[in-house]
PDB file of all heavy atoms in Angstrom:
ATOM      1  N   GLY A1201     -18.688  -1.649   4.339  1.00 96.00           N
ATOM      2  CA  GLY A1201     -18.139  -1.975   3.029  1.00 96.00           C
ATOM      3  C   GLY A1201     -17.251  -3.203   3.026  1.00 96.00           C
ATOM      4  O   GLY A1201     -16.596  -3.482   2.019  1.00 96.00           O
ATOM      5  N   ALA A1202     -17.230  -3.947   4.128  1.00 96.00           N
ATOM      6  CA  ALA A1202     -16.300  -5.068   4.268  1.00 96.00           C
ATOM      7  C   ALA A1202     -16.412  -6.081   3.139  1.00 96.00           C
ATOM      8  O   ALA A1202     -15.402  -6.585   2.626  1.00 96.00           O
ATOM      9  CB  ALA A1202     -16.515  -5.765   5.615  1.00 96.00           C
ATOM     10  N   GLU A1203     -17.629  -6.393   2.724  1.00 97.00           N
ATOM     11  CA  GLU A1203     -17.810  -7.452   1.733  1.00 97.00           C
ATOM     12  C   GLU A1203     -17.554  -6.994   0.306  1.00 97.00           C
ATOM     13  O   GLU A1203     -17.616  -7.802  -0.622  1.00 97.00           O
ATOM     14  CB  GLU A1203     -19.214  -8.045   1.864  1.00 97.00           C
ATOM     15  CG  GLU A1203     -19.404  -8.795   3.175  1.00 97.00           C
ATOM     16  CD  GLU A1203     -20.471  -9.867   3.102  1.00 97.00           C
ATOM     17  OE1 GLU A1203     -21.123  -9.975   2.051  1.00 97.00           O
ATOM     18  OE2 GLU A1203     -20.630 -10.591   4.100  1.00 97.00           O
ATOM     19  N   ASN A1204     -17.229  -5.732   0.113  1.00 97.00           N
ATOM     20  CA  ASN A1204     -16.951  -5.241  -1.243  1.00 97.00           C
ATOM     21  C   ASN A1204     -15.501  -5.442  -1.661  1.00 97.00           C
ATOM     22  O   ASN A1204     -15.165  -5.267  -2.834  1.00 97.00           O
ATOM     23  CB  ASN A1204     -17.316  -3.762  -1.353  1.00 97.00           C
ATOM     24  CG  ASN A1204     -18.807  -3.542  -1.306  1.00 97.00           C
ATOM     25  OD1 ASN A1204     -19.567  -4.349  -1.825  1.00 97.00           O
ATOM     26  ND2 ASN A1204     -19.241  -2.466  -0.664  1.00 97.00           N
ATOM     27  N   LEU A1205     -14.651  -5.793  -0.710  1.00 97.00           N
ATOM     28  CA  LEU A1205     -13.263  -6.145  -1.014  1.00 97.00           C
ATOM     29  C   LEU A1205     -12.855  -7.181   0.026  1.00 97.00           C
ATOM     30  O   LEU A1205     -12.542  -6.844   1.167  1.00 97.00           O
ATOM     31  CB  LEU A1205     -12.362  -4.909  -0.952  1.00 97.00           C
ATOM     32  CG  LEU A1205     -10.903  -5.060  -1.399  1.00 97.00           C
ATOM     33  CD1 LEU A1205     -10.792  -5.771  -2.740  1.00 97.00           C
ATOM     34  CD2 LEU A1205     -10.227  -3.699  -1.477  1.00 97.00           C
ATOM     35  N   ILE A1206     -12.878  -8.456  -0.376  1.00 97.00           N
ATOM     36  CA  ILE A1206     -12.803  -9.520   0.624  1.00 97.00           C
ATOM     37  C   ILE A1206     -12.263 -10.817   0.028  1.00 97.00           C
ATOM     38  O   ILE A1206     -12.457 -11.096  -1.160  1.00 97.00           O
ATOM     39  CB  ILE A1206     -14.220  -9.765   1.226  1.00 97.00           C
ATOM     40  CG1 ILE A1206     -14.175 -10.689   2.439  1.00 97.00           C
ATOM     41  CG2 ILE A1206     -15.181 -10.290   0.157  1.00 97.00           C
ATOM     42  CD1 ILE A1206     -15.513 -10.781   3.185  1.00 97.00           C
ATOM     43  N   VAL A1207     -11.555 -11.565   0.846  1.00 96.00           N
ATOM     44  CA  VAL A1207     -11.274 -12.978   0.586  1.00 96.00           C
ATOM     45  C   VAL A1207     -12.118 -13.729   1.613  1.00 96.00           C
ATOM     46  O   VAL A1207     -11.771 -13.782   2.795  1.00 96.00           O
ATOM     47  CB  VAL A1207      -9.776 -13.314   0.757  1.00 96.00           C
ATOM     48  CG1 VAL A1207      -9.548 -14.808   0.512  1.00 96.00           C
ATOM     49  CG2 VAL A1207      -8.924 -12.484  -0.203  1.00 96.00           C
ATOM     50  N   LYS A1208     -13.239 -14.277   1.168  1.00 95.00           N
ATOM     51  CA  LYS A1208     -14.247 -14.760   2.110  1.00 95.00           C
ATOM     52  C   LYS A1208     -13.809 -16.005   2.864  1.00 95.00           C
ATOM     53  O   LYS A1208     -14.047 -16.150   4.065  1.00 95.00           O
ATOM     54  CB  LYS A1208     -15.559 -15.025   1.381  1.00 95.00           C
ATOM     55  CG  LYS A1208     -16.728 -15.277   2.324  1.00 95.00           C
ATOM     56  CD  LYS A1208     -18.050 -15.230   1.581  1.00 95.00           C
ATOM     57  CE  LYS A1208     -19.218 -15.357   2.565  1.00 95.00           C
ATOM     58  NZ  LYS A1208     -20.523 -15.271   1.864  1.00 95.00           N
ATOM     59  N   GLN A1209     -13.160 -16.930   2.171  1.00 94.00           N
ATOM     60  CA  GLN A1209     -12.753 -18.175   2.810  1.00 94.00           C
ATOM     61  C   GLN A1209     -11.277 -18.141   3.229  1.00 94.00           C
ATOM     62  O   GLN A1209     -10.472 -17.437   2.634  1.00 94.00           O
ATOM     63  CB  GLN A1209     -12.982 -19.360   1.875  1.00 94.00           C
ATOM     64  CG  GLN A1209     -14.437 -19.670   1.621  1.00 94.00           C
ATOM     65  CD  GLN A1209     -14.622 -20.934   0.799  1.00 94.00           C
ATOM     66  OE1 GLN A1209     -13.675 -21.614   0.433  1.00 94.00           O
ATOM     67  NE2 GLN A1209     -15.874 -21.261   0.499  1.00 94.00           N
ATOM     68  N   GLY A1210     -10.977 -18.916   4.247  1.00 93.00           N
ATOM     69  CA  GLY A1210      -9.592 -19.021   4.692  1.00 93.00           C
ATOM     70  C   GLY A1210      -9.414 -18.680   6.159  1.00 93.00           C
ATOM     71  O   GLY A1210      -8.443 -19.091   6.785  1.00 93.00           O
ATOM     72  N   GLY A1211     -10.374 -17.945   6.726  1.00 93.00           N
ATOM     73  CA  GLY A1211     -10.357 -17.656   8.153  1.00 93.00           C
ATOM     74  C   GLY A1211     -11.176 -18.689   8.907  1.00 93.00           C
ATOM     75  O   GLY A1211     -11.618 -19.696   8.342  1.00 93.00           O
ATOM     76  N   LEU A1212     -11.399 -18.439  10.172  1.00 94.00           N
ATOM     77  CA  LEU A1212     -12.135 -19.407  10.987  1.00 94.00           C
ATOM     78  C   LEU A1212     -13.642 -19.381  10.733  1.00 94.00           C
ATOM     79  O   LEU A1212     -14.311 -20.399  10.886  1.00 94.00           O
ATOM     80  CB  LEU A1212     -11.847 -19.154  12.466  1.00 94.00           C
ATOM     81  CG  LEU A1212     -10.390 -19.359  12.892  1.00 94.00           C
ATOM     82  CD1 LEU A1212     -10.221 -19.093  14.380  1.00 94.00           C
ATOM     83  CD2 LEU A1212      -9.921 -20.770  12.560  1.00 94.00           C
ATOM     84  N   ARG A1213     -14.173 -18.230  10.347  1.00 95.00           N
ATOM     85  CA  ARG A1213     -15.617 -18.167  10.082  1.00 95.00           C
ATOM     86  C   ARG A1213     -15.987 -18.990   8.850  1.00 95.00           C
ATOM     87  O   ARG A1213     -16.999 -19.702   8.844  1.00 95.00           O
ATOM     88  CB  ARG A1213     -16.063 -16.709   9.903  1.00 95.00           C
ATOM     89  CG  ARG A1213     -17.567 -16.557   9.694  1.00 95.00           C
ATOM     90  CD  ARG A1213     -17.969 -15.089   9.647  1.00 95.00           C
ATOM     91  NE  ARG A1213     -17.792 -14.432  10.935  1.00 95.00           N
ATOM     92  CZ  ARG A1213     -18.688 -14.460  11.927  1.00 95.00           C
ATOM     93  NH1 ARG A1213     -19.821 -15.119  11.772  1.00 95.00           N
ATOM     94  NH2 ARG A1213     -18.449 -13.833  13.049  1.00 95.00           N
ATOM     95  N   TYR A1214     -15.182 -18.883   7.811  1.00 93.00           N
ATOM     96  CA  TYR A1214     -15.421 -19.633   6.578  1.00 93.00           C
ATOM     97  C   TYR A1214     -14.124 -20.312   6.146  1.00 93.00           C
ATOM     98  O   TYR A1214     -13.362 -19.755   5.344  1.00 93.00           O
ATOM     99  CB  TYR A1214     -15.914 -18.711   5.461  1.00 93.00           C
ATOM    100  CG  TYR A1214     -17.225 -18.034   5.740  1.00 93.00           C
ATOM    101  CD1 TYR A1214     -17.257 -16.668   6.061  1.00 93.00           C
ATOM    102  CD2 TYR A1214     -18.432 -18.726   5.682  1.00 93.00           C
ATOM    103  CE1 TYR A1214     -18.460 -16.029   6.318  1.00 93.00           C
ATOM    104  CE2 TYR A1214     -19.636 -18.097   5.942  1.00 93.00           C
ATOM    105  CZ  TYR A1214     -19.643 -16.745   6.267  1.00 93.00           C
ATOM    106  OH  TYR A1214     -20.835 -16.110   6.514  1.00 93.00           O
TER     107      TYR A1214
END
Side-chain angles (χ1 to χ4, degrees):
E1203 293 206 356
N1204 290 324
L1205 187 48
I1206 190 171
V1207 178
K1208 191 167 185 178
Q1209 291 186 2
L1212 296 180
R1213 183 175 293 276
Y1214 298 106

